[in-house]
């Protein structure tokens, strides 16, 4: 067999998709198996016997011992005066005998009930490493078990509920010979303590609910069935999901994750209300006002239910044993000491060390409303403003006003859009998204959730397909799940951090965390897809580079200087007296391009005609064809014409029309008067800012070159991918994507050049660079001749002889070569912009921002001086009211399509 045939086979094997998939699955299975072994090796099968005490107890469920079940090892921490005896027992190997009796006797000799500390979920006895010694210093024997399923105790048990854990805790007391004890339950451990009191109240010297669970209504959504549906999803995400990934122990062993979620799944908090109502044990409800896991209002409700309770509300969060162990012990020790001896009456009182104003109507509404009524309300908010709405949900969760499960369901349903949003699809968008849904439905259904700039089009197109198919549906579900987590969690994390750092009230936490949460979630969501990452980088670059700043931000630093110029030259509108030969304040806004261009009697002015407003798009298209047929100079040798709004700015709506379909599309999107203009092939374009000095001489203030955007194909990447890979074009990706339409997924051939735009406007994607080298006396003289040919079509100012009424403006010129332009030859005048013209070389990316500001300052100084000179000649400036009216008229009647060709 020849070498070429072997190469062909090898190449075919390399590009065979099924082979790649099979190899990928084999590698994936091997990695998962290795990950399982590493994770399983972290199980605590052997105890560090020099530090841990352990006993063997029967296996229990909520009702008692489980027949035919293996015994369960329970480990525990100990602090207190029996340390010597306990260490001797431990050194002898633990278990029955071996000085355990000595340890039991030491505990009994103290004459005080020991303290049993019960941790939450997930947790272990070592969670009390700060609090336990403080209680021991007060003279107590302190025992903190690892409840089965957690820590160093056995992880595989029949029942993980708080009711079953209560049985294990009682069995531990039995093994240690303890008849009566103080029980302190932290978080979920409080539920264990309540069940111990329900099983045998006489065995409890006291009960402390330390940042504890209790009422079902205070748990998340407050609904048992909703919470267990949430735990079912958690089971998939926490217990099963990581096992399908090669995490190599990063998420811990399966048994540890299983115990955590099973602890909640196996638990029923609904019976706790009756237990609390009938409780006779002296009870301390010790809680943090800023607890974000078990709400403070729940602790107040527990105090109201328990007839023998004392409530202390601390200025703290949920993690009292970690963060405030001394403060916790200062309240806990006096309570324990009071009830060391049985029969002492409990003191029923409430101490609020962190008072807050009464709850707001919003907090009350969120607390009292059933979860099923909140879901549609918040789903509507997220549906309306997805990222911002999700940030609001995350901030409410951080304020402990809303359950994260309710927030997640609302966001998920909104993003899934079970009720479709009405959205008008363009033909290009329909073609694009139908092709995507047919080609790679799973990928695009998943990705569009993380592409907010295309989301409406993609969802609308997906709904147009009668049966999108299982792959589209699977991508949608997975995308919505990940989107929900990424959209809500940043605001929640930020709000929680703000609450911990500042101690702000819940309402302020919710308010302050919304905007930073929105920014963080938007950034996180964009990071999911390559296009999103490119756009995120582009967003940062647009902030850094002043050429992309919005107009109001760019001009903000020179506002004080403009105020000074206004005071010096007679008022803020003095500059509008310039250019009396152009209506609307010398070309401030809304001036007619046709009227201005009609004033020039110069061969450089490109032929043009006016298409009036009125009529249907079809009727107007017929008029365009009639006009171009009667005026052949509008076409010349060009393959098409330029059609643009008669009153436009920043290149909005400028279109190159070469066929009837494009013509009709333009006229459907713009009903205003339009200018039909001959197309000048260039290939170059420049913006020349011209002015008349005090002596009446025409001068060029600045020139900027305009470089039209284009990409070079590589035969592999789509136009969209090429744009996002380009460090400049990605900053204006929206412009190019709208312009390309359905072509954005086109893969250009290797080395082929694809134009991305014909409009010489920075807002439309052109690169502006300083063209000072193009300024010559010959070009100044040529433009002065152009101005001298101007005759104002509409003005109330009586000009003196030789005064054309033009003082200041920017000529947009198309030309062949730089040399020809320097000679003042062969250029075509696209348009003249009036008083709001800029020296557009300020957008040169190589310029430092201070140079742009100096140029702007010089430009406005010149314009105010010209306006003041014209005012002295009797020209009335535009009033602020007239300016506001012109702005309102212009922006209230803009075309639907703002992207130029």
């Amino acid at each position: 067999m020849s070498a070429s045939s072997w190469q062909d086979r090898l190449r075919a094997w390399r590009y065979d998709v099924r082979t790649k998939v099979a190899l990928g699955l084999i590698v994936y299975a091997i990695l998962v198996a290795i990950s399982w072994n590493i994770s399983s090796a972290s199980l605590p099968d052997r105890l560090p016997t020099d530090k841990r005490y352990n006993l063997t107890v029967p296996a229990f469920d909520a009702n008692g011992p489980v027949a035919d079940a293996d015994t369960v090892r329970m480990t525990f921490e100990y602090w207190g005066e029996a340390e010597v005896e306990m260490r001797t027992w431990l050194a002898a190997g633990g278990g029955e005998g071996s000085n355990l009796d000595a340890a039991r006797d030491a505990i009994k000799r103290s004459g005080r009930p020991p303290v049993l500390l019960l941790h939450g979920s997930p947790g272990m006895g070592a969670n009390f490493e700060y609090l336990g010694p403080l209680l021991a210093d007060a003279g107590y024997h302190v025992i903190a078990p690892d409840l089965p399923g957690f820590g160093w105790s056995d992880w595989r048990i029949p029942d993980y509920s708080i009711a079953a854990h209560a049985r294990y805790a009682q069995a531990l007391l039995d093994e240690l010979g303890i008849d009566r004890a103080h029980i302190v339950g932290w978080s979920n451990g409080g539920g264990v303590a309540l069940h111990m009191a329900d099983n045998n109240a006489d065995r409890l010297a006291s009960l402390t609910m330390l940042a504890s669970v209790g009422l079902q209504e205070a748990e998340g959504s407050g609904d048992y069935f909703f919470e267990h549906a949430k735990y079912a999803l958690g089971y998939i995400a926490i217990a099963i999901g990581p096992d399908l990934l090669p995490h190599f122990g990063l998420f811990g062993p399966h048994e540890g994750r299983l115990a955590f979620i099973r602890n909640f799944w196996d638990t029923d908090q609904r019976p706790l209300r009756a237990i609390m109502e009938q409780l006779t044990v002296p009870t301390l409800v010790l809680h943090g006002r800023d607890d974000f896991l078990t709400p403070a209002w729940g602790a107040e409700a527990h105090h109201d239910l328990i007839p023998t309770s004392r409530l202390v509300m601390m200025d703290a969060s949920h993690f009292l044993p970690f963060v405030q162990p001394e403060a916790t012990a200062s309240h806990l020790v006096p309570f324990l000491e009071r009830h060391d001896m049985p029969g002492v009456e409990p003191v029923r009182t409430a101490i609020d060390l962190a008072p807050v104003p009464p709850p707001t109507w919003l907090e009350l509404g969120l607390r009292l409303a059933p979860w099923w009524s909140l879901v549609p309300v918040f789903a509507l908010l997220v549906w309306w403003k997805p990222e911002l709405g999700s940030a609001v949900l995350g901030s409410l969760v951080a304020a402990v006003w809303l359950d994260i499960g309710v927030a997640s369901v609302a966001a998920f349903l909104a993003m899934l859009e079970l009720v479709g949003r009405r959205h008008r699809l363009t033909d290009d968008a329909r073609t694009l998204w139908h092709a995507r849904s047919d080609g790679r439905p799973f990928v695009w259904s998943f990705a569009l959730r993380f592409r907010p700039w295309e989301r409406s089009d993609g969802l609308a197109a997906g709904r147009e397909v009668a049966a999108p198919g299982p792959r589209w549906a699977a991508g949608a579900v997975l995308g919505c799940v990940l989107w929900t987590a990424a959209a809500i969690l940043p605001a929640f994390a930020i709000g929680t951090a703000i609450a911990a750092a500042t101690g702000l009230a819940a309402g302020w936490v919710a308010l302050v965390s919304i905007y930073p949460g929105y920014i963080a979630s938007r950034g996180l969501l964009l990071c999911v897809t390559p296009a999103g990452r490119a756009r995120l980088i582009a967003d940062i670059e647009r902030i850094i580079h002043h050429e992309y700043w919005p107009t109001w931000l760019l001009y903000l630093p020179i506002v004080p200087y403009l105020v000074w110029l206004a005071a010096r030259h007679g008022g803020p509108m003095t500059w509008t007296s310039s250019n009396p030969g152009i209506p609307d304040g010398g070309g401030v806004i809304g001036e007619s391009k046709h009227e201005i261009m009609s004033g020039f009697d110069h061969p450089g002015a490109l032929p043009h005609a006016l298409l009036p407003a009125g009529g249907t798009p079809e009727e107007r298209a017929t008029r365009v064809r009639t006009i171009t047929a009667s005026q052949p100079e509008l076409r010349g040798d060009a393959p098409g014409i330029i059609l643009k709004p008669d009153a436009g700015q920043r290149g909005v709506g400028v279109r190159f029309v070469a066929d009837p379909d494009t013509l009709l599309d333009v006229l459907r999107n713009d009903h205003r008067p339009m200018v039909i203009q001959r197309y000048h092939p260039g290939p170059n374009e420049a913006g020349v800012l011209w002015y008349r000095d005090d002596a009446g001489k025409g001068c060029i203030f600045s020139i900027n070159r305009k470089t039209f955007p284009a990409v070079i194909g590589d035969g592999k990447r789509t136009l969209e991918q090429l744009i996002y890979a380009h460090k400049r074009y990605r900053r204006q990706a929206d412009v190019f994507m709208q312009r390309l339409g359905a072509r954005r997924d086109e893969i250009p051939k290797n080395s082929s050049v694809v134009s991305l735009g014909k409009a010489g406007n920075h807002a439309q994607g052109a690169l502006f660079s300083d063209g000072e080298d193009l300024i010559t006396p010959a070009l100044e003289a040529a433009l002065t001749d152009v101005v001298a040919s101007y005759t104002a079509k509409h003005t109330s100012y009586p000009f003196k002889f030789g005064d054309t009424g033009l003082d200041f403006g920017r000529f947009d010129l198309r030309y062949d070569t730089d040399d020809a332009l320097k000679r003042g030859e062969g250029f075509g005048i696209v348009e003249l912009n009036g008083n709001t013209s800029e020296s557009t070389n300020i957008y040169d990316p190589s310029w430092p921002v201070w140079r742009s500001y100096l140029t702007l300052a010089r430009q406005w100084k010149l314009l105010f001086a010209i306006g003041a000179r014209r005012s002295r000649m009797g020209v009335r400036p535009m009033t602020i009211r007239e300016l506001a009216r012109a702005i309102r008229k212009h922006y209230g009647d803009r075309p639907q399509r703002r992207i130029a060709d």
Side-chain angles (χ1 to χ4, degrees):
M1 186 175 292
S2 65
S4 59
S5 62
W6 276 108
Q7 291 174 353
D8 291 340
R9 287 193 176 188
L10 179 61
R11 190 177 297 109
W13 176 81
R14 287 177 57 193
Y15 290 99
D16 182 70
V17 175
R18 288 175 296 180
T19 302
K20 287 184 176 181
V21 170
L23 288 176
L25 290 175
I26 293 172
V27 172
Y28 168 78
I30 294 173
L31 291 176
V32 168
I34 296 172
S35 177
W36 263 85
N37 288 330
I38 293 175
S39 299
S40 299
S42 63
L43 282 172
D45 291 329
R46 292 180 297 177
L47 295 174
T49 54
D50 60 331
K51 297 181 180 179
R52 302 279 173 171
Y53 309 99
N54 71 97
L55 288 168
T56 301
V57 298
F60 292 96
D61 61 17
N63 300 312
V66 177
D68 301 325
D70 294 335
T71 57
V72 175
R73 182 187 67 221
M74 282 190 70
T75 65
F76 60 93
E77 302 277 349
Y78 172 83
W79 301 276
E81 295 177 356
E83 185 74 23
V84 175
E85 291 84 354
M86 296 292 287
R87 288 292 175 186
T88 303
W89 168 55
L90 183 64
E96 286 295 331
S98 306
N99 293 327
L100 178 57
D101 290 338
R104 289 169 176 165
D105 291 342
I107 294 174
K108 288 182 179 180
R109 282 198 306 269
S110 69
R112 309 178 73 177
V115 179
L116 184 69
L117 301 177
L118 302 173
H119 63 78
S121 177
M124 59 193 306
N127 295 157
F128 299 102
E129 61 180 331
Y130 301 116
L131 181 60
L134 294 175
L135 300 180
D137 290 343
Y140 287 97
H141 298 276
V142 183
I143 300 159
D146 296 345
L147 295 172
F150 300 99
W152 294 93
S153 293
D154 278 342
W155 287 15
R156 301 177 182 90
I157 54 176
D159 187 346
Y160 294 82
S161 68
I162 57 176
H165 278 155
R167 303 284 183 182
Y168 285 110
Q170 292 165 192
L172 176 63
L173 295 180
D174 292 339
E175 291 296 321
L176 293 176
I178 298 172
D179 299 324
R180 184 169 175 268
H182 296 288
I183 309 299
V184 179
W186 174 45
S187 193
N188 254 29
V192 177
L194 286 172
H195 275 290
M196 291 180 70
D198 185 48
N199 294 338
N200 191 347
D202 293 338
R203 197 167 187 178
L204 274 64
S206 72
L207 187 156
T208 299
M209 299 177 67
L210 183 63
S212 170
V213 302
L215 286 174
Q216 176 68 63
E217 291 81 357
E219 182 71 14
S221 67
D223 183 89
Y224 170 83
F225 297 101
F226 181 88
E227 290 302 299
H228 275 68
K230 187 167 68 176
Y231 302 149
L233 293 175
Y235 188 91
I236 296 172
I238 296 173
I240 299 177
D243 291 333
L244 303 178
L245 301 173
H247 61 87
F248 305 108
L250 179 64
F251 299 125
H254 170 80
E255 287 78 0
R257 290 179 276 108
L258 175 68
F260 162 60
I261 196 65
R262 281 283 304 272
N263 185 219
F264 292 97
W265 174 260
D266 292 353
T267 293
D268 186 353
Q269 288 182 219
R270 291 174 295 179
L272 297 183
R273 172 185 286 273
I275 293 174
M276 287 187 285
E277 290 174 337
Q278 300 168 15
L279 200 59
T280 59
V281 177
T283 303
L284 173 63
V285 180
L286 189 57
H287 213 88
R289 176 64 72 183
D290 299 322
D291 194 322
F292 59 91
L293 293 178
T294 54
W297 66 264
E300 293 166 342
H302 300 161
H303 171 60
D304 292 339
L305 287 173
I306 301 172
T308 57
S309 67
R310 169 187 176 89
L311 171 66
V312 177
M313 189 65 68
M314 297 173 57
D315 184 11
S317 67
H318 185 71
F319 301 102
L320 296 173
F322 297 156
V323 184
Q324 288 100 357
E326 293 85 2
T328 300
S330 69
H331 296 289
L332 186 55
V333 169
F335 172 74
L336 299 179
E337 290 176 341
R338 177 179 177 84
H339 298 288
D340 281 342
M341 299 302 294
V344 178
E345 289 295 322
V347 177
R348 181 163 175 78
T349 185
I351 301 174
D352 193 349
L353 302 177
V356 295
T360 63
W361 62 268
L362 177 60
E363 181 181 0
L364 282 174
L366 293 175
R367 183 191 304 172
L368 299 176
W371 70 270
W372 48 264
S373 67
L374 296 176
V375 166
V377 173
F378 287 115
L380 185 63
L381 173 65
V382 177
W383 175 82
W384 176 53
K385 293 288 184 182
E387 284 74 20
L388 181 60
S390 298
V392 171
L393 294 186
S395 66
L396 292 175
V397 173
V400 204
W401 284 5
L402 184 67
D403 173 58
I404 193 169
V406 174
S408 299
V409 170
F412 175 83
L413 293 179
M415 186 48 53
L416 195 62
E417 293 213 10
L418 297 180
V419 179
R421 183 196 303 241
R422 291 190 178 184
H423 177 71
R424 179 179 176 272
L425 273 174
T426 64
D427 291 339
D428 280 341
R430 180 176 290 106
T431 301
L432 174 72
W433 278 100
H434 281 201
R436 286 176 170 179
S437 62
D438 290 340
R440 293 192 296 169
F442 177 85
V443 171
W444 283 111
S445 178
F446 173 86
L448 70 85
R449 268 75 191 176
F450 303 93
R451 296 166 68 103
W453 62 95
E454 294 181 316
R455 190 183 294 145
S456 295
D457 283 345
L459 292 172
R463 285 190 294 271
E464 284 187 355
V465 180
R471 287 186 293 172
W472 181 273
V477 171
L478 180 59
C480 290
V481 169
L482 295 182
W483 184 93
T484 298
I488 291 178
L489 290 180
F492 167 70
I494 291 172
T496 302
I498 290 174
T502 64
L504 287 173
W508 284 108
V509 168
L511 184 63
V512 171
S513 59
I514 289 175
Y515 186 70
Y518 162 71
I519 296 298
S521 65
R522 184 177 182 275
L524 184 60
L525 290 167
L526 287 177
C527 286
V528 174
T529 62
R533 292 192 290 274
R535 292 177 74 97
L536 181 59
I537 294 171
D539 286 346
I540 297 172
E541 291 171 338
R542 289 172 67 93
I543 295 173
I544 296 173
H545 295 86
H546 71 276
E547 61 170 313
Y548 301 104
W549 293 354
T551 303
W552 67 267
L553 180 60
L554 181 65
Y555 274 81
L556 191 61
I558 68 165
V559 167
Y561 182 66
L562 296 179
V563 172
W564 181 83
L565 288 175
R568 183 182 179 190
H569 292 288
M573 301 300 292
T574 301
W575 58 279
T576 62
S577 294
S578 175
N579 286 340
I582 299 177
D584 297 302
V588 174
I589 193 170
E591 70 274 12
S592 168
K593 297 181 183 295
H594 169 71
E595 184 175 319
I596 295 172
M597 291 298 294
S598 297
F600 291 109
D601 183 16
H602 190 279
L606 293 175
H608 63 281
L610 180 68
L611 174 66
T616 65
E618 291 75 13
E619 292 170 344
R620 300 185 77 200
T622 301
R623 288 189 200 136
V624 171
R625 288 189 287 268
T626 301
I627 291 171
T628 53
S630 62
Q631 301 180 44
E633 67 273 14
L634 291 174
R635 273 194 175 272
D637 297 330
I641 57 171
I642 294 295
L643 201 58
K644 59 185 178 182
D646 186 36
Q649 282 189 327
R650 302 177 70 84
V652 170
V654 178
R655 302 292 302 277
F656 176 76
V657 178
D659 58 79
D661 291 339
T662 305
L663 176 61
L664 201 57
D665 179 62
V666 173
L667 297 176
R668 285 196 185 106
N669 286 282
D670 200 333
H671 60 275
R672 301 188 301 175
M674 306 284 287
V675 172
I676 307 167
Q677 190 174 56
R678 180 173 180 169
Y679 173 70
H680 191 295
N684 299 308
E685 184 171 329
V688 183
L689 189 63
W690 177 94
Y691 71 98
R692 190 188 301 279
D693 66 12
D694 293 341
K697 179 179 179 297
C699 305
I700 294 177
F701 183 88
S702 66
I703 296 181
N704 81 276
R705 284 186 171 88
K706 303 181 180 182
T707 303
F708 301 105
V711 292
I712 300 176
D714 58 8
K716 300 176 182 177
R717 290 179 291 181
T718 65
L719 286 173
E720 178 179 284
Q721 292 170 331
L722 290 170
I723 290 170
Y724 284 131
H726 196 283
K727 67 179 181 180
R728 180 175 181 84
Y729 297 158
R730 66 190 176 202
R731 301 171 193 167
Q732 292 177 290
D734 285 337
V735 172
F736 300 127
M737 296 307 167
Q738 291 187 52
R739 186 175 292 149
L740 288 170
R743 290 185 59 206
R744 69 184 70 171
D745 282 350
E746 177 185 312
I747 301 177
K749 295 179 180 179
N750 188 30
S751 301
S752 62
V753 178
V754 180
S755 171
L756 297 179
K758 299 182 178 70
N761 190 282
H762 184 270
Q764 302 293 337
L767 168 65
F768 283 7
S769 55
D770 184 41
E772 185 179 5
D773 60 297
L774 298 175
I775 301 177
T776 63
L779 181 57
E780 284 188 334
L783 291 180
T784 300
D785 290 341
V786 171
V787 173
S789 74
Y790 185 78
T791 302
K793 299 298 182 181
H794 174 76
T795 181
S796 59
Y797 173 67
F799 296 151
K800 295 180 180 179
F801 178 74
D803 185 357
T804 62
L806 295 186
D807 303 313
F808 180 93
R810 189 184 68 243
F811 289 95
D812 288 336
L813 306 179
R814 301 276 287 192
Y815 63 96
D816 184 12
T817 65
D818 287 354
D819 289 338
L821 183 64
K822 291 177 181 179
R823 295 193 302 269
E825 300 172 353
F827 59 79
I829 303 172
V830 176
E831 62 187 40
L832 170 68
N833 298 282
N835 280 335
T836 49
S837 299
E838 286 181 317
S839 179
T840 45
N841 57 352
I842 65 173
Y843 298 109
D844 187 325
S846 68
W847 276 26
V849 67
W850 60 264
R851 185 177 179 185
S852 297
Y853 278 125
L854 287 177
T855 303
L856 270 179
R858 288 195 304 112
Q859 171 194 316
W860 280 96
K861 179 181 179 181
L862 174 65
L863 186 56
F864 264 97
I866 295 173
R869 185 168 69 241
R870 282 294 190 180
S871 294
R872 291 192 295 270
M873 297 170 64
V875 178
R876 183 182 69 84
M878 196 178 201
T879 67
I880 294 178
R881 179 175 293 181
E882 289 171 340
L883 175 62
R885 188 183 306 120
I887 292 174
R888 186 167 57 251
K889 180 179 183 301
H890 177 77
Y891 285 101
D893 197 30
R894 299 188 81 179
Q896 295 180 24
R897 178 185 167 109
R898 302 177 60 185
I899 302 299
D901 282 337

